[in-house]
Amino acid sequence: MMLSAHFSLEELTASEVAARARINNAPPPEVMGNLVRLAQGLELVRRVLGNYAVHITSGYRSPRLNQMVGGSRHSMHMQGLAADILCPVFGPPLEVCRAIARSSVPADQGIHEFGHWCHVAFAPPGLIARHELLTIRNAATGAELGLRNV
């Protein structure tokens, strides 16, 4: 089922961890509107990234899956409003995050996480995007990943 021109429900709910653990990661009906909102936001991100394919590494997570992968108790993934993405043709995750941060995409939150992906979240309906930019420190070295200097 396509939620937008380039993003399907299947890719926004796919999880190897859920499949291996036999966790049902199907979103409840009340999350479907948020997943459409996420897909529409990801269409804007795709345009900012030169209209290159955007790979979703993690989209919707059921509460059980979110706990299993060590997600935040308040993760927007559980609301269907966040995705961890890659766009290798555009560039490394830090460059993806910087491009989104410099754009007019109404992202609520952008996080360059561990140097491996870009987390992008959108505000729930009725709320204004905070345009919050965060960086995750490398636990081994304590080094900043540099997103604040966009």
Side-chain angles (χ1 to χ4, degrees):
M1 168 190 211
M2 294 302 292
L3 299 178
S4 69
H6 297 98
F7 299 97
S8 69
L9 176 62
E10 291 74 21
E11 73 183 306
L12 289 175
T13 59
S15 168
E16 291 178 18
V17 173
R20 281 193 305 267
R22 298 178 194 249
I23 294 172
N24 179 358
N25 197 46
E30 62 269 17
V31 172
M32 289 303 297
N34 285 348
L35 286 168
V36 170
R37 185 177 181 88
L38 174 61
Q40 292 168 343
L42 291 172
E43 291 291 346
L44 299 174
V45 167
R46 182 183 161 107
R47 280 188 219 121
V48 165
L49 301 178
N51 213 29
Y52 294 120
V54 171
H55 175 70
I56 310 299
T57 62
S58 182
Y60 171 75
R61 296 181 196 147
S62 67
R64 184 168 175 219
L65 176 60
N66 189 65
Q67 181 180 26
M68 189 170 209
V69 300
S72 163
R73 290 184 306 137
H74 305 289
S75 174
M76 297 302 279
H77 287 275
M78 293 187 297
Q79 293 182 41
L81 289 168
D84 298 334
I85 64 170
L86 297 171
C87 186
V89 177
F90 181 84
L94 180 57
E95 290 309 311
V96 169
C97 289
R98 285 182 170 157
I100 295 167
R102 286 190 296 257
S103 77
S104 61
V105 171
D108 185 55
Q109 191 177 62
I111 307 173
H112 180 223
E113 294 191 52
F114 311 109
H116 299 294
W117 61 82
C118 175
H119 169 94
V120 61
F122 295 90
L127 295 181
I128 297 172
R130 297 173 293 171
H131 299 282
E132 184 175 56
L133 302 174
L134 303 172
T135 188
I136 301 291
R137 291 182 182 270
N138 181 314
T141 67
E144 284 267 335
L145 295 177
L147 184 59
R148 293 183 198 269
N149 300 321
V150 292

